[in-house]
């Protein structure tokens, strides 16, 4: 399975998680797990930043209008997504 | 000067050692020798690279487990790069006071602050790239370049 196919599958199955018009889906990592016979991906995409913090001094919002979230995704040899999980990019 | 982040520097360093190793590491698994060649072209002159000590530490933590011949090559290439590239120290306190610290953490906040001054950033971190673009910094986004071949 090519990276292009893997990204396409992840995008198809995760696009309902964002309401951003151009969510900029990205393949961040892709490793084949021989033992589990599945691809283990990390993908990212943009969502609306609904939890913007405020500057405690001025009260103005901090951060960007959009925020990028990362998901760990498992895809089997048949091209089916077996699960997706939270992924901490900085862990 | 061009500011570079840890993952992009890993691609550069591993590419200088042996390009076929680039996609063996999880964090650089989407890249190959083509990305290394394009990165070299983008940098142009290695002496233009500005590398933070925090970035060197992250890179060494990721790569200093090579064995045998590869360890020798790693040490040699790292030594060569440290001699050719520039290095700049920024106090941790500067990052901790920045609004981006909450989302980006220490190293990437320092990269963002430095890139605001230097105007150009090479990164393999999509979140850092999003922030840098929002601040009008010129970004060479390696994830975006690699993904442009997948759409």
């Amino acid at each position: 399975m090519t990276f292009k196919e893997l990204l396409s599958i992840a995008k198809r199955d995760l696009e309902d998680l964002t309401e951003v018009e151009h969510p900029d889906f990205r393949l961040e990592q892709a490793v084949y797990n021989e033992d589990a016979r599945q691809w283990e991906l990390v993908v990212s995409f943009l969502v609306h930043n609904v939890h913007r913090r405020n500057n405690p001094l001025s009260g103005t919002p901090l951060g960007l209008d959009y925020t990028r979230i990362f998901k760990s995704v498992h895809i089997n040899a048949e091209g089916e997504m077996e699960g997706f999980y939270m992924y901490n990019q900085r862990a | 000067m061009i500011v570079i982040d840890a993952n992009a520097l890993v691609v550069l360093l591993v590419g200088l050692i042996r390009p076929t190793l680039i996609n063996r590491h999880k964090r650089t698994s989407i890249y190959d020798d083509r990305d290394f060649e394009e990165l070299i072209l983008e940098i142009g002159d290695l002496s233009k690279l500005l590398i933070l000590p925090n970035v060197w530490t992250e890179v060494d933590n990721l790569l200093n487990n090579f064995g045998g011949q590869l360890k020798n090559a790693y040490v040699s290439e790292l030594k060569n790069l440290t001699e050719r590239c520039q290095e700049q120290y920024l106090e941790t306190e500067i990052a901790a006071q920045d609004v981006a610290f909450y989302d980006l953490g220490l190293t990437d906040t320092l990269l963002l602050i430095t890139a605001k001054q230097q105007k150009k950033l090479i990164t393999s971190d999509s979140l850092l790239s999003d922030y840098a673009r929002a601040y009008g910094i010129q970004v060479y986004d390696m994830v975006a370049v690699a993904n442009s071949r997948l759409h």
Side-chain angles (χ1 to χ4, degrees), chain B:
Chain B
M1 299 299 290
I2 305 170
V3 185
I4 188 166
D5 80 350
N7 264 14
L9 187 55
V10 166
V11 174
L12 176 64
L13 204 43
V14 175
L16 290 169
I17 297 166
R18 189 180 295 173
T20 52
L21 293 177
I22 292 171
N23 60 8
R24 302 281 180 86
H25 195 286
K26 190 189 289 186
R27 286 178 61 165
T28 54
S29 54
I30 65 167
Y31 303 119
D32 56 27
D33 52 350
R34 184 172 38 175
D35 296 286
F36 167 65
E37 287 163 12
E38 289 179 6
L39 176 60
I40 288 286
L41 285 174
E42 185 65 27
I43 295 167
D45 179 355
L46 289 173
S47 66
K48 288 183 187 168
L49 279 183
L50 179 61
I51 302 174
L52 304 185
N54 311 65
V55 169
W56 276 125
T57 303
E58 285 193 15
V59 167
D60 188 55
N61 286 343
L62 287 168
L63 296 183
N64 203 347
N65 55 1
F66 281 124
Q69 293 287 331
L70 287 175
K71 179 67 173 261
N72 293 339
Y74 164 68
V75 172
S76 172
E77 291 296 346
L78 184 136
K79 183 171 177 290
N80 183 35
L81 268 183
T82 54
E83 287 168 358
R84 295 181 68 180
C85 302
Q86 305 296 311
E87 187 163 340
Q88 179 179 308
Y89 167 73
L90 279 180
E91 293 172 352
T92 303
E93 182 185 8
I94 296 171
Q97 291 173 349
D98 194 284
V99 293
F101 180 74
Y102 188 91
D103 290 332
L104 296 182
L106 175 59
T107 302
D108 285 349
T109 302
L110 291 174
L111 282 164
L112 185 68
I113 292 166
T114 309
K116 283 179 192 172
Q117 297 159 350
Q118 301 297 331
K119 309 295 183 197
K120 183 163 182 181
L121 171 70
I122 294 177
T123 180
S124 171
D125 184 309
S126 296
L127 190 60
L128 175 60
S129 174
D130 293 339
Y131 263 83
R133 286 178 200 278
Y135 281 103
I137 297 164
Q138 184 186 349
V139 180
Y140 182 73
D141 182 333
M142 293 186 65
V143 183
V145 171
N147 272 260
S148 68
R149 303 186 198 113
L150 308 179
H151 290 289

Side-chain angles (χ1 to χ4, degrees), chain A residues 39-82:
Chain A
W39 281 93
E40 295 174 357
L41 318 180
V42 176
V43 298
S44 77
F45 51 93
L46 296 173
V47 297
H48 290 294
N49 191 358
V50 295
H51 298 296
R52 291 178 77 181
R53 290 157 289 116
N54 285 331
N55 184 321
L57 298 177
S58 65
T60 54
L62 299 173
L64 309 178
D65 291 341
Y66 302 101
T67 189
R68 184 170 294 278
I69 62 173
F70 294 78
K71 293 285 183 189
S72 172
V73 175
H74 294 176
I75 294 175
N76 65 22
E78 283 71 47
E80 297 160 342
M81 186 183 292
E82 296 201 327

